[in-house]
């Protein structure tokens, strides 16, 4: 609480509106933030609520998990995987080495920037890039951060960047090449994340706001 008071006091008069777009309503941090804002004469309210789809991994293997999805999704996934394998040599990579993780972050930024720009996605901004470079360097070897790459003929076409703890995985960020849109590369790559989560004994796979299974 003291740190929040110091921060709010330091920026007093420098802003008119603060937005916290991804704050979990069940977060233990929320009451402290609300109280700190109130002490500085600022009220807060909920203006937009987003849902984070979450997949329960309560089946012992991937086949069991897949059968929880709709038949339409299963057909689509099978069709796209078959089409991709007919056109390219499809391969998947899991990044765990610190040096490889930093290199892979460059690939992720490039693929992510095909859909977004730094004005829309804060993930692409230099300060964020420096932060995540250091984070994956430390966390990938400890399996707290997961980085997965989908390749067609050895060329990266999609990447996923996830966080993991004792029983949950968060699908934090990703990117894919629009040139391969017809194969739904992000959907194909998500299968690897789900399979890895099941193998690691995780209980939930959180897609975060805007995710689709």
């Amino acid at each position: 609480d003291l740190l929040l008071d110091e921060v709010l006091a330091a920026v007093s008069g420098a802003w008119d509106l603060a937005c916290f777009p991804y704050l979990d309503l069940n977060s233990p941090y929320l009451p402290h933030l609300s109280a700190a804002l109130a002490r500085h004469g600022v009220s807060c309210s909920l203006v937009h609520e987003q849902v984070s789809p979450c997949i329960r991994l309560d089946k012992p293997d991937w086949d069991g998990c897949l059968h929880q999805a709709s038949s339409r999704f299963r057909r689509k996934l099978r069709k796209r995987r078959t089409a991709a394998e007919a056109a390219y040599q499809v391969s998947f990579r899991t990044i765990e080495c610190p040096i490889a993780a930093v290199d892979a972050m460059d690939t992720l930024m490039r693929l992510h920037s095909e859909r977004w720009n730094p004005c829309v996605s804060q993930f692409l901004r230099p300060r964020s890039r420096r932060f995540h470079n250091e984070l994956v360097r430390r966390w990938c070897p400890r399996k707290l951060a997961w980085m997965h790459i989908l390749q067609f003929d050895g060329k990266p076409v999609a990447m996923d960047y996830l966080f993991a703890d004792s029983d949950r995985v968060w699908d934090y960020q990703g990117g894919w090449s629009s040139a391969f849109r017809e194969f739904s590369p992000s959907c194909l790559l998500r299968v690897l994340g789900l399979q890895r989560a099941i193998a690691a004994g995780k209980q939930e796979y959180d897609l975060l706001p805007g995710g689709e299974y």
Side-chain angles (χ1 to χ4, degrees), residues 3 21 25-26 33 35 63 68-69 89 107 122 145 164 173 196 199-200:
L3 178 59
L25 293 179
N26 296 316
L33 176 62
D63 288 337
Q68 295 181 93
Q89 182 179 353
T107 301
Q122 294 187 14
Q173 196 57 271
R196 186 178 179 186

Side-chain angles (χ1 to χ4, degrees), residues 26-58:
N26 296 316
S27 170
Y29 175 73
L30 181 58
H32 298 281
L33 176 62
S34 299
L37 289 170
R39 287 194 296 274
H40 289 264
V42 180
S43 62
C44 59
S45 61
L46 175 66
V47 294
H48 179 61
E49 185 173 3
Q50 299 185 82
V51 176
S52 296
C54 191
I55 303 170
R56 289 288 303 171
L57 304 177
D58 51 5

Side-chain angles (χ1 to χ4, degrees), residues 12 53 56 68 88 110 125 147 170 183 192 201:
S12 177
R56 289 288 303 171
Q68 295 181 93
Y88 304 97
R110 176 177 59 78
R125 297 177 184 178
M147 302 184 81
W170 290 267
F183 302 109
L192 175 62

Side-chain angles (χ1 to χ4, degrees), residues 152-192:
F152 288 175
D153 292 343
K155 175 184 177 180
V157 298
M159 267 200 71
D160 258 351
Y161 177 31
L162 311 95
F163 299 127
D165 71 357
S166 58
D167 63 355
R168 178 177 287 199
V169 173
W170 290 267
D171 197 333
Y172 172 66
Q173 196 57 271
W176 51 273
S177 174
S178 56
F180 301 94
R181 181 190 301 271
E182 62 184 293
F183 302 109
S184 297
S186 61
C187 184
L188 296 179
L189 185 56
R190 182 163 292 145
V191 170
L192 175 62

Side-chain angles (χ1 to χ4, degrees), residues 1-202:
D1 288 359
L2 291 176
L3 178 59
L4 282 171
D5 283 331
E6 289 179 8
V7 171
L8 291 172
V11 299
S12 177
W15 54 278
D16 297 310
L17 177 68
C19 181
F20 303 91
Y22 296 111
L23 183 60
D24 190 337
L25 293 179
N26 296 316
S27 170
Y29 175 73
L30 181 58
H32 298 281
L33 176 62
S34 299
L37 289 170
R39 287 194 296 274
H40 289 264
V42 180
S43 62
C44 59
S45 61
L46 175 66
V47 294
H48 179 61
E49 185 173 3
Q50 299 185 82
V51 176
S52 296
C54 191
I55 303 170
R56 289 288 303 171
L57 304 177
D58 51 5
K59 301 298 180 181
D61 54 32
W62 165 243
D63 288 337
C65 181
L66 182 60
H67 277 84
Q68 295 181 93
S70 67
S71 59
R72 179 176 178 273
F73 172 83
R74 295 197 301 271
R75 287 195 304 271
K76 177 182 176 181
L77 180 62
R78 186 165 51 249
K79 178 180 178 181
R80 299 294 168 82
R81 178 68 182 259
T82 300
E85 291 177 339
Y88 304 97
Q89 182 179 353
V90 178
S91 60
F92 298 88
R93 290 178 57 203
T94 298
I95 306 297
E96 296 182 354
C97 168
I99 296 175
V102 174
D103 290 340
M105 184 59 69
D106 290 339
T107 301
L108 174 59
M109 293 286 180
R110 176 177 59 78
L111 291 169
H112 187 74
S113 67
E114 289 200 25
R115 297 185 62 205
W116 310 104
N117 63 63
C119 294
V120 176
S121 176
Q122 294 187 14
F123 182 66
L124 293 171
R125 297 177 184 178
R127 184 176 180 182
S128 175
R129 187 172 192 144
R130 292 192 297 270
F131 171 81
H132 286 286
N133 278 343
E134 182 63 20
L135 190 66
V136 296
R137 188 184 68 80
R138 297 185 183 193
W139 278 18
C140 276
R142 297 167 58 192
K143 295 182 171 56
L144 297 174
W146 296 0
M147 302 184 81
H148 302 152
I149 303 177
L150 170 63
Q151 299 179 140
F152 288 175
D153 292 343
K155 175 184 177 180
V157 298
M159 267 200 71
D160 258 351
Y161 177 31
L162 311 95
F163 299 127
D165 71 357
S166 58
D167 63 355
R168 178 177 287 199
V169 173
W170 290 267
D171 197 333
Y172 172 66
Q173 196 57 271
W176 51 273
S177 174
S178 56
F180 301 94
R181 181 190 301 271
E182 62 184 293
F183 302 109
S184 297
S186 61
C187 184
L188 296 179
L189 185 56
R190 182 163 292 145
V191 170
L192 175 62
L194 286 163
Q195 290 174 329
R196 186 178 179 186
I198 293 169
K202 307 302 183 184

